[in-house]
């Protein structure tokens, strides 16, 4: 059996407890300095910075952003719209996805299983119906947000995933 002195590069699947602590803290406090983050996870700055860079490089940290209060910018309603498309071929799905990408009110869109194909958080009716190929829609208005997080907490989810 051969052994190598080179350490195997970590992948998304093998995050250790320190990686998970880093991710757990950054998901709520993404503007911490490396020094502050290092102190919170029990590392010195240099190894902490290396871990954060590695998590970015392997795609575990996708990007950094600000969470904006939609009511504060005039978007008062959250609407979930279920859409059934005429067809499900690559061309129709691609055209529909491209059309959604051009509409700023669309916050999230997901291809889902079940009776409907897409669900939406926020959408203006007149923009949706301009997209060719829609057969049927059904809308549900949110009365109150019970929980809103931007990411799952890596310390609380199954560590073996």
């Amino acid at each position: 059996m051969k052994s190598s002195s080179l350490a195997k590069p970590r992948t998304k699947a093998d995050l250790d407890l320190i990686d998970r602590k880093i991710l757990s803290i950054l998901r709520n406090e993404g503007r911490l300095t490396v020094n502050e983050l290092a102190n919170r996870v029990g590392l010195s700055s240099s190894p902490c910075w290396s871990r954060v860079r590695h998590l970015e490089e392997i795609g575990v940290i996708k990007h950094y952003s600000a969470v904006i209060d939609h009511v504060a910018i005039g978007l008062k309603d959250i609407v979930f719209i279920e859409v059934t498309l005429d067809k499900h071929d690559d061309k129709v799905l691609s055209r529909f996805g491209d059309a959604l990408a051009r509409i700023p009110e669309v916050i999230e869109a997901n291809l889902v299983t079940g009776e409907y194909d897409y669900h939406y958080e926020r959408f203006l009716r007149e923009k949706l119906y301009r997209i060719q190929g829609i057969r049927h829609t059904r809308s549900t208005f949110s009365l109150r947000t019970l929980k809103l997080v931007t990411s799952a907490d890596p310390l609380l989810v199954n560590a073996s995933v």
Side-chain angles (χ1 to χ4, degrees), residues 98-114:
D98 291 345
L100 293 177
R102 292 188 300 272
I103 303 173
E105 293 85 1
V106 174
I107 305 302
E108 183 175 342
N110 297 282
L111 180 61
V112 298
T113 61

Side-chain angles (χ1 to χ4, degrees), residues 14-27:
D14 31 283
L15 301 176
D16 64 16
L17 181 59
I18 293 175
D19 291 332
R20 291 178 182 281
K21 284 180 181 180
I22 289 170
L23 293 168
S24 181
I25 293 166
L26 286 177
R27 71 184 274 275

Side-chain angles (χ1 to χ4, degrees), residues 43-54:
L43 290 175
S44 61
S45 294
S46 182
C48 183
W49 175 246
S50 295
R51 282 177 177 262
V52 170
R53 294 293 299 156
H54 179 72

Side-chain angles (χ1 to χ4, degrees), residues 83-102 111 117-118 120 128 130-136:
V83 176
T84 302
L85 299 175
D86 286 336
K87 297 179 186 174
H88 292 92
D89 62 37
D90 290 340
K91 183 178 177 182
V92 170
L93 290 172
S94 179
R95 186 176 65 224
F96 187 66
D98 291 345
L100 293 177
R102 292 188 300 272
L111 180 61
D117 300 324
Y118 286 86
Y120 300 93
L128 176 68
R130 291 183 184 165
I131 302 171
Q132 292 181 347
I134 295 174
R135 181 181 344 136
H136 177 74

